[in-house]
Amino acid sequence: MRKLVALPVLSADALSSVAYGPEAMLAVLVLAGTAGLDFTTPVAAAIAFLMLAVGISYRQTIRAYPHGGGSYIVAGDNLGRIPGLVAAAGLMTDYVLTVAVSIASGVAAITSAVPSLSPYTVPIGAGVIAALLLGNLRGLRQAGALFAAPTYAFVLAMLALVAKGLADAADRGFHTAAAPPLHAAEGVGALLVMRAFASGSTAMTGIEAISNAVPAFRPTEWRNARTTLTWMICLLITLFAGVTAVARLDGVVPRSGETVLSQLAHRGFGSGPMYVVTQAATAAVLLLAANTAYNDFPRVLFLLARDGHAPRLFLRLGDRLAFSNGIAVLSVAAAVVFIAFRGDTASLIPLYAVGVFLAFTLSQAGMVRHWWRLRDRHWRKSLFFNATGCVLSALVLVTAGITKFTSGAWVSILAVGLFLLVTTRIHHHYEEVRAALRLHPHAIEIPASPGGAPPAEPSPAAEGVPPAAPSAAPVRPMAPPHASVREDEESPEEIRNLAIVPISTLDLAGMRALAYAASLRQPALALHLSPGEAEADRFRGYWDRWGDHLPLEVLVTPYRATVAPLVHYIEALHAQQPQLTLTIVVPEIVTRRRRYRLLHDRTASRLRRALRLLPKIVVTDVPYHV
């Protein structure tokens, strides 16, 4: 992407937080009445400094990880598996709450302009989540000017709002307008100031988005990404400081039924077209910010599944080349949170800071370890910046966890703990299954493949599988004209059978399926789906070392789909050889504990459903119990 496009697309989450960050800070300070509002400027200055420090820290992350370095990757690479999982937990919590908070704030912008819609806040928000779910399942992607326009419109509207507010303040000599009568519910103290600081710091969510998407930039990618991040931080600090300053000068405080931004827009622009534009731009950019989570949440789930910490179903792409399962999980989780808190932004904010700053802290701590180990050019400067970002992020994390624990932060802390428990149990199960499926110790040793666990080793024990006759020639997927195929065989001699064994790796489950297919004494073919040419060549090498007992066909499916390429291949083969009865022999892992069954694919049942209308197709599964 060009920088002018990348800036609004990747900064929507961060910049849109101006719609609720300052208000969240003021909502805490106002509890102490007028005396509490006197701390607005120092608290806002501290948050602006935090934005600057964390932004500079992520510039170092981009330099160290020019191919993209999210918190899970950085923490896992430098601090170990468990810190990486904790960072992933923070990210997942952050993405779920990004959807819930952004939509809650967007709906608030709408209901501020149209108060009659206030009773329908929850249905409107739930409808927006459903729309995002359907759109992303159909392959909706952020694209160019379509998604850049709302962010630029919001930035221009906020700059105009701040400029008008400052101009009006200049006319009265920058004297602070009197706030409405306030009743202090508590006194001014360190705890109140810390709570306000933690609440206002939620305006920083989304700062890491650019460091995650470095490969999306035009060359030189890392340099353009750092430039874009710098512009984003400058805009974020300007908008946050400007909105906070105008709110303080105008004496605007949070109130039920209308957001702070709406109050400022009413004061500056009246109820005319500019007010409508400001509210519409705010709602649009918040919707866009919610949609950014639909790109990042499934990607983190994919990385977790690749590393064996999440069910493998999250590796699969849907028909529209979207991670459908991850998208569905995000939508359900966000809808539950949104409905449980009745779409109230103020109630959701205490949950937000924990996930955001947990990921920030571990990412920056990982970068400190990275520079300490690498010690390349300018490593001391980079280490200092990342250490500063780590300490400040940890300070906000601890502050939010303590001061907002009873207000809802306990929910995020509990979610992180449960996430860690579940992912470690899943990883332990996959390790047990991998050990159970590993071929015999005297097999040929095969080196580990990059990016994942080594495939199981080929075993001489499998050489007992008798060789089969050559299979039909490989074909490419095409539309099968099978309407005229007849199924009128009445004796075994009339059936011409070809067994096809889809095999992903050379392990005991796959070998058992191959042995079963060969035992039918009919032609048999092994079929391997590979995500790339390099992996395909690697598997062919394993196959040759095993002994090449059966013909092998390799299909390259770069989108990691499984069932669709298999169905297309089978349909094409059936169209070219309609006289054949095709028996699809699928190895299947069967766990004795029911709770682990969702962790393993049900390829046989999915194939059976997809091929049900195709004649002369038999799908059978060969179970392997672990």
Side-chain angles (χ1 to χ4, degrees):
M1 289 187 288
R2 293 181 299 122
K3 286 179 287 186
L4 285 175
V5 174
L7 175 62
V9 169
L10 298 177
S11 302
D13 187 8
L15 297 179
S16 68
S17 61
V18 172
Y20 50 81
E23 182 168 356
M25 178 188 68
L26 292 171
V28 176
L29 293 176
V30 79
L31 295 176
T34 305
L37 292 178
D38 291 339
F39 285 84
T40 299
T41 300
V43 173
I47 293 172
F49 176 76
L50 179 63
M51 291 175 177
L52 179 63
V54 173
I56 294 175
S57 297
Y58 272 103
R59 280 177 56 90
Q60 316 313 310
T61 302
I62 291 173
R63 181 165 77 89
Y65 286 84
H67 300 295
S71 298
Y72 171 61
I73 295 174
V74 174
D77 284 353
N78 298 286
L79 302 178
R81 183 170 66 90
I82 297 301
L85 289 176
V86 176
L91 282 176
M92 307 288 270
T93 306
D94 178 17
Y95 294 142
V96 170
L97 287 168
T98 291
V99 176
V101 172
S102 296
I103 290 177
S105 188
V107 173
I110 295 172
T111 56
S112 295
V114 188
S116 60
L117 294 177
S118 295
Y120 307 103
T121 293
V122 173
I124 292 173
V128 172
I129 294 175
L132 288 174
L133 169 63
L134 294 176
N136 282 278
L137 287 178
R138 292 183 61 82
L140 181 66
R141 285 291 182 268
Q142 293 178 337
L146 176 64
F147 287 94
T151 307
Y152 278 131
F154 176 75
V155 170
L156 292 175
M158 291 301 101
L159 290 175
L161 179 65
V162 170
K164 184 66 168 63
L166 292 177
D168 291 343
D171 291 339
R172 60 176 186 268
F174 288 101
H175 295 298
T176 301
L182 300 174
H183 302 285
E186 59 182 278
V188 177
L191 188 61
L192 179 83
V193 173
M194 291 170 65
R195 282 164 51 201
F197 176 69
S199 293
S201 296
T202 55
M204 294 176 54
T205 179
I207 281 182
E208 80 288 350
I210 292 176
S211 68
N212 294 341
V214 177
F217 285 83
R218 289 183 175 179
T220 305
E221 291 86 349
W222 68 270
R223 193 182 304 278
N224 288 329
R226 281 168 62 111
T227 302
T228 304
L229 177 62
T230 301
W231 276 104
M232 183 189 78
I233 295 299
C234 292
L235 280 173
L236 179 59
I237 293 174
T238 300
L239 296 182
F240 178 84
V243 169
T244 304
V246 172
R248 182 72 181 112
L249 289 168
D250 286 356
V252 171
V253 295
R255 71 184 187 197
S256 177
E258 187 175 13
T259 65
V260 167
L261 279 186
S262 176
Q263 294 180 58
L264 292 177
H266 263 136
R267 285 172 176 262
F269 305 131
S271 299
M274 195 58 194
Y275 170 79
V276 175
V277 169
T278 300
Q279 293 302 100
T282 302
V285 77
L286 286 164
L287 177 61
L288 175 57
N291 191 62
T292 59
Y294 280 87
N295 295 319
D296 295 331
F297 183 95
R299 183 181 61 84
V300 175
L301 263 182
F302 167 82
L303 294 175
L304 288 166
R306 183 198 66 184
D307 296 339
H309 294 108
R312 288 173 182 159
L313 58 89
F314 294 115
L315 291 171
R316 295 201 302 260
L317 286 169
D319 294 337
R320 302 278 181 159
L321 304 183
F323 290 109
S324 305
N325 295 315
I327 290 170
V329 169
L330 173 59
S331 298
V332 171
V336 168
V337 171
F338 182 86
I339 293 172
F341 288 85
R342 299 181 179 180
D344 182 32
T345 306
S347 300
L348 289 167
I349 289 296
L351 284 71
Y352 211 178
V354 171
V356 172
F357 285 95
L358 179 59
F360 283 177
T361 302
L362 288 172
S363 174
Q364 298 311 306
M367 289 306 305
V368 170
R369 179 78 182 278
H370 171 84
W371 297 122
W372 181 257
R373 290 190 304 183
L374 188 63
R375 303 196 183 197
D376 63 352
R377 186 184 179 191
H378 303 310
W379 70 273
R380 288 185 177 85
K381 179 183 71 174
S382 297
L383 187 148
F384 171 77
F385 286 138
N386 285 125
T388 302
C390 176
V391 170
L392 293 176
S393 296
L395 176 63
V396 178
L397 173 62
V398 173
T399 300
I402 294 174
T403 62
K404 295 183 174 295
F405 185 82
T406 57
S407 300
W410 67 269
V411 176
S412 295
I413 295 172
L414 179 63
V416 169
L418 290 175
F419 179 90
L420 189 61
L421 175 64
V422 171
T423 52
T424 51
R425 292 301 302 168
I426 289 174
H427 187 264
H428 178 69
H429 171 73
Y430 279 139
E431 288 296 314
E432 286 185 334
V433 170
R434 185 177 291 110
L437 295 179
R438 190 176 300 277
L439 297 182
H440 302 107
H442 57 276
I444 300 172
E445 183 177 356
I446 296 179
S449 59
E457 303 152 350
S459 169
E463 294 178 6
V465 179
S471 67
V475 295
R476 295 190 179 276
M478 55 185 290
H482 54 264
S484 61
V485 176
R486 300 177 59 186
E487 298 175 296
D488 56 359
E489 299 93 340
E490 298 182 4
S491 63
E493 293 78 12
E494 294 181 86
I495 295 180
R496 297 181 58 193
N497 184 59
L498 171 65
I500 300 175
V501 186
I503 183 168
S504 59
T505 187
L506 293 174
D507 57 19
L508 289 176
M511 290 301 168
R512 178 173 169 78
L514 289 169
Y516 174 80
S519 71
L520 300 177
R521 304 294 175 178
Q522 294 287 338
L525 168 71
L527 182 61
H528 175 69
L529 300 181
S530 180
E533 289 292 347
E535 182 64 30
D537 292 339
R538 190 178 298 112
F539 188 85
R540 291 188 188 98
Y542 300 156
W543 188 263
D544 291 339
R545 295 177 69 181
W546 170 60
D548 194 19
H549 299 290
L550 296 175
L552 172 69
E553 175 71 6
V554 177
L555 296 181
V556 176
T557 58
Y559 301 111
R560 293 186 179 270
T562 301
V563 172
L566 280 175
V567 170
H568 293 162
Y569 181 89
I570 293 165
E571 287 180 340
L573 182 58
H574 182 272
Q576 290 194 1
Q577 303 287 344
Q579 76 281 3
L580 290 177
T581 295
L582 302 179
T583 300
I584 319 303
V585 181
V586 183
E588 186 168 5
I589 306 298
V590 179
T591 60
R592 289 183 172 86
R593 296 180 181 178
R594 187 180 300 273
R595 65 176 178 269
Y596 290 127
R597 292 181 183 174
L598 288 176
L599 301 181
H600 299 278
D601 289 335
R602 292 289 180 262
T603 305
S605 58
R606 295 169 62 205
L607 275 175
R608 209 172 274 119
R609 288 193 298 269
L611 297 170
R612 183 172 296 155
L613 299 180
L614 201 63
K616 290 194 173 184
I617 299 293
V618 178
V619 180
T620 184
D621 60 304
V622 179
Y624 190 92
H625 295 82
V626 294

